[in-house]
Amino acid sequence: MRDSAGPTIYDVAERAGVSKSLVSLVLRGGVGVSEKRRLAVQAAIDELGYRPSLAASALAGNRTHGIGVLIDDYTNLWFVNLIRGMDDELFGQRFSLTVADTQLNAHLGRSPVEAFLGMRVEGLVIAAEPTPDVIDALTGPGAARIPTVVAGGRAGVIPGADVVAIDEELGSRLAVEHLVSLGHTAIAHVTGLGGSAANRLRGYERAMGDARLTPIVVGHGLETTEEAGFAATREVLAGHPTVSAVFTANDTMAVGALGALRDEGLSVPGDVSVVGYDNSPLAGAHLVDITTVDDRGASLGTEVVRALLSRIADPSLPARTTLVPPTLVVRSSTGPAPR
Amino acid sequence: MRDSAGPTIYDVAERAGVSKSLVSLVLRGGVGVSEKRRLAVQAAIDELGYRPSLAASALAGNRTHGIGVLIDDYTNLWFVNLIRGMDDELFGQRFSLTVADTQLNAHLGRSPVEAFLGMRVEGLVIAAEPTPDVIDALTGPGAARIPTVVAGGRAGVIPGADVVAIDEELGSRLAVEHLVSLGHTAIAHVTGLGGSAANRLRGYERAMGDARLTPIVVGHGLETTEEAGFAATREVLAGHPTVSAVFTANDTMAVGALGALRDEGLSVPGDVSVVGYDNSPLAGAHLVDITTVDDRGASLGTEVVRALLSRIADPSLPARTTLVPPTLVVRSSTGPAPR
């Protein structure tokens, strides 16, 4: 059957007046092929616009050099830096990245991991909070044994996979210690659903405990959206009028907090300091300009690539965990506690 | 050579004690295969975790049902709605989507279009401002003749490709007419680099001309960022003190405009009204809450899928252009012109 996507190797052979095997030989480097026949094949390839198929290459026993990256949702900008970091670290390597989010192709009723396996990728990066489908494809009976790295704090542990995690507990500790150093004692935390929010909450609670301060937590069970950040901050202001600082589970929620404070006529940071998490592009906008925790996603990408290439080279390596420390970016939304 | 990604069809045949051809037959539906042998093959597939390769399937003359979507940049949230719309429209179809941005795998020195062709996708959606590499892969000598749809206002015309475009000129007209209806006459536009910004600028200039108002344009040559929106709005305020409304090329620039107005002590919309473009998630945040143009990306996705499936079914169809009209979302950043 003719492939609607373009000419086949048979078309090239026919045009060049040679055998298919000779075209294959030229494509593999052409050792032992006469210059005249090599040029004839090259001319036929150019004229027809023939592209050697990755599929054919893989079936011929060649490696695909493909890496599949599974992310949560394209609207979560967290992963952009991860992928940029991976791309940079792959400079000079032959590996190529393919990205899918857990929602993509949901209409096929198939996990994106299945699609990656169908492409015969040589390694997987799980940067998403894995759905049951994904876990099943990776760990269930008959699961493929494919080199896998779990990136970020989102996925749980997958047997045999390396983990390159952000030290989100440390990120929260940096935020709390910054506020404590400014004299704040009534520091509320706005949390939400998901593994990252849980890690950040744990870090907040431990840092507050170490500073001998009482945690004030709102937002359990909320999505980590701007609207939820707005509503939860209103709840903080109503229930805890002495609060002088609000630390939110992400920057999007912090924008909601800024809206709630403005609506109450409170100034930032004069009346209330605000700290976000993620150092998203939004965090640096003049209107927003919040102090926030930077996960250093690009550094994460570097470590992920190193772990994955090591595992592809030697699948028998014991699973390792690497923690990437975050940093605090201080902007105008935090200041001394009001007296 | 053994495939590191998992067992092969030969492993399945060996485990089931049958020939490779019989395994193939079972995978293709198993007509004429005895129940006993079918069950033996199925058991071997389950035990080994064998996954039929898409590569093998494509080489066997089967269709890949793959669609490649090329986007500008993962940080541009514009495309998320496009992909959601495409996904929804593909419900019940066998086609699967693969997304790449023009930067991905830049380290390989290869256009993402090449990668899509290597995957033997059956159709392409170009939602990016195409780089020379991309144009060359699609139109140069020896280019593959693959069904292609250009989505949005970003790409120029590619010979033989359908275009499903947003009517961005109409979007700007809606913004200007809304401001005129509120009594504004000194309406500035903040533009920037890129095809979308150019379309939006043209629509602004025509609508201002039709209303017999003088265009005031700043931002030529700037990136369409928050920082640029901030700087350009300061320029407007310094050079045109009578301006009572600022319309920006996108929502990100509008957030910059809000920051510049706040820093000047001007209230929105009391002193100056602000209109953005894109109806991004940010536009609806309490702190921002801007009137904006909604491109209806999901509707675009629907039209893109319809055009592409028609073209895959009949590549000889003449190229068509479909324009999707945008809508205006009115929020609290626009009000009557001050007297």
Side-chain angles (χ1 to χ4, degrees), chain A residues 9 42 45 67 112 172 209 229 239 263 321 326:
Chain A
I9 194 167
Q42 194 56 56
I45 286 172
I67 294 174
S172 289
D263 285 4
T321 294

Side-chain angles (χ1 to χ4, degrees), chain A:
Chain A
M1 187 173 132
R2 266 301 286 280
D3 167 17
S4 64
T8 67
I9 194 167
Y10 297 99
D11 299 324
V12 174
E14 190 185 336
R15 170 75 64 113
V18 302
S19 68
K20 170 187 162 285
S21 310
L22 192 108
V23 177
S24 283
L25 199 55
V26 170
L27 290 172
R28 287 200 305 272
V31 177
V33 178
S34 76
E35 185 65 6
K36 185 179 158 196
R37 295 215 286 179
R38 199 186 62 72
L39 288 174
V41 169
Q42 194 56 56
I45 286 172
D46 292 345
E47 285 161 30
L48 294 171
Y50 171 70
R51 290 158 205 283
S53 155
L54 292 184
S57 179
L59 271 197
N62 296 323
R63 298 177 52 179
T64 62
H65 286 92
I67 294 174
V69 185
L70 182 69
I71 61 171
D72 266 319
D73 182 331
Y74 286 113
T75 60
N76 185 337
L77 291 177
W78 170 81
F79 80 90
V80 175
N81 284 331
L82 170 72
I83 291 172
R84 292 280 170 269
M86 292 186 67
D87 241 346
D88 287 350
E89 184 66 18
L90 284 171
F91 187 83
Q93 308 272 357
R94 286 184 57 197
F95 287 89
S96 66
L97 301 176
T98 304
V99 181
D101 81 355
T102 51
Q103 297 308 306
L104 190 68
N105 297 320
H107 70 273
L108 293 175
R110 189 176 69 176
S111 139
V113 170
E114 301 276 334
F116 284 142
L117 297 176
M119 289 172 172
R120 299 164 63 106
V121 296
E122 295 188 18
L124 282 177
V125 175
I126 308 296
E129 204 134 11
T131 59
D133 276 3
V134 168
I135 293 170
D136 193 55
L138 289 171
T139 65
R145 295 280 168 270
I146 186 163
T148 300
V149 173
V150 172
R154 288 171 169 73
V157 173
I158 291 167
D162 298 299
V163 176
V164 179
I166 299 157
D167 192 344
E168 292 180 300
E169 280 197 41
L170 175 58
S172 289
R173 177 171 295 278
L174 295 175
V176 170
E177 290 181 352
H178 169 64
L179 291 168
V180 169
S181 77
L182 289 166
H184 294 274
T185 53
I187 302 167
H189 181 57
V190 177
T191 187
L193 292 168
S196 270
N199 293 338
R200 293 166 189 188
L201 170 60
R202 194 161 49 243
Y204 160 82
E205 287 175 334
R206 291 189 177 162
M208 290 292 281
D210 290 349
R212 304 194 176 280
L213 298 174
T214 308
I216 302 166
V217 180
V218 295
H220 286 292
L222 298 182
E223 300 285 334
T224 54
T225 59
E226 184 270 337
E227 184 63 43
F230 179 83
T233 302
R234 289 175 67 91
E235 189 185 330
V236 168
L237 296 175
H240 306 273
T242 61
V243 158
S244 68
V246 177
F247 167 45
T248 59
N250 65 22
D251 290 343
T252 304
M253 296 190 103
V255 172
L258 292 179
L261 292 166
R262 187 200 53 184
D263 285 4
E264 288 292 314
L266 294 168
S267 75
V268 175
D271 296 314
V272 179
S273 286
V274 173
V275 180
Y277 201 117
D278 283 340
N279 198 19
S280 62
L282 181 62
H286 291 83
L287 186 70
V288 178
D289 203 48
I290 45 171
T291 296
T292 183
V293 180
D294 188 330
D295 267 347
R296 297 171 64 235
S299 304
L300 191 77
T302 304
E303 297 299 328
V304 166
V305 166
R306 288 178 186 167
L308 190 61
L309 296 189
S310 300
R311 179 152 301 281
I312 290 171
D314 181 1
S316 71
L317 285 175
R320 282 193 319 173
T321 294
T322 308
L323 274 185
V324 177
T327 57
L328 189 74
V329 179
V330 177
R331 294 203 184 89
S332 70
S333 70
T334 46
R339 288 166 180 275

Side-chain angles (χ1 to χ4, degrees), chain B:
Chain B
M1 185 173 129
R2 265 302 284 281
D3 167 18
S4 64
T8 67
I9 194 167
Y10 297 98
D11 299 323
V12 174
E14 190 184 336
R15 170 74 65 112
V18 302
S19 68
K20 171 186 161 287
S21 310
L22 192 110
V23 177
S24 282
L25 199 55
V26 170
L27 290 172
R28 288 200 304 271
V31 177
V33 179
S34 75
E35 186 64 6
K36 184 178 159 196
R37 295 214 286 178
R38 198 186 62 72
L39 288 174
V41 169
Q42 193 55 57
I45 287 172
D46 292 345
E47 285 161 30
L48 294 170
Y50 171 71
R51 290 158 205 283
S53 155
L54 292 185
S57 179
L59 272 197
N62 295 324
R63 299 178 52 180
T64 62
H65 287 92
I67 295 174
V69 185
L70 182 69
I71 61 171
D72 266 319
D73 183 332
Y74 287 113
T75 60
N76 186 336
L77 291 178
W78 170 81
F79 80 89
V80 175
N81 284 330
L82 170 72
I83 291 172
R84 292 282 171 266
M86 292 186 66
D87 241 345
D88 287 350
E89 184 66 18
L90 283 170
F91 187 82
Q93 309 273 356
R94 286 185 55 197
F95 288 89
S96 66
L97 301 177
T98 304
V99 181
D101 81 355
T102 52
Q103 298 309 306
L104 189 70
N105 297 319
H107 69 272
L108 293 175
R110 190 176 69 176
S111 137
V113 170
E114 301 277 333
F116 284 143
L117 297 176
M119 289 172 170
R120 299 164 61 105
V121 296
E122 295 188 17
L124 282 176
V125 176
I126 308 296
E129 204 133 10
T131 60
D133 276 3
V134 168
I135 293 169
D136 193 54
L138 288 171
T139 65
R145 295 280 168 272
I146 187 164
T148 300
V149 173
V150 172
R154 287 171 169 73
V157 172
I158 291 167
D162 298 299
V163 176
V164 179
I166 299 157
D167 192 344
E168 292 179 299
E169 280 197 40
L170 175 58
S172 290
R173 178 172 294 277
L174 295 175
V176 170
E177 290 181 352
H178 169 65
L179 290 167
V180 169
S181 76
L182 289 167
H184 295 274
T185 53
I187 303 167
H189 180 58
V190 176
T191 187
L193 292 168
S196 270
N199 294 339
R200 294 166 188 189
L201 170 60
R202 196 162 46 242
Y204 160 82
E205 289 176 333
R206 291 189 178 164
M208 290 292 280
D210 290 349
R212 306 196 176 279
L213 297 173
T214 309
I216 302 166
V217 181
V218 295
H220 286 292
L222 298 182
E223 300 285 333
T224 54
T225 59
E226 185 271 337
E227 184 63 42
F230 179 83
T233 301
R234 289 174 66 90
E235 189 186 330
V236 167
L237 297 175
H240 306 273
T242 61
V243 158
S244 68
V246 177
F247 166 46
T248 59
N250 65 23
D251 289 343
T252 305
M253 296 191 102
V255 172
L258 292 178
L261 293 165
R262 187 200 54 185
D263 285 4
E264 288 292 314
L266 293 168
S267 75
V268 175
D271 296 314
V272 178
S273 287
V274 173
V275 180
Y277 201 118
D278 282 341
N279 198 21
S280 61
L282 181 61
H286 291 83
L287 186 70
V288 178
D289 202 48
I290 45 170
T291 296
T292 183
V293 180
D294 188 329
D295 267 347
R296 297 171 65 235
S299 304
L300 191 76
T302 304
E303 297 299 328
V304 165
V305 165
R306 287 179 185 166
L308 190 60
L309 296 189
S310 299
R311 179 152 301 280
I312 289 171
D314 181 1
S316 71
L317 285 176
R320 283 191 318 173
T321 294
T322 308
L323 275 184
V324 177
T327 56
L328 189 74
V329 179
V330 177
R331 294 202 183 89
S332 69
S333 70
T334 48
R339 290 166 177 274

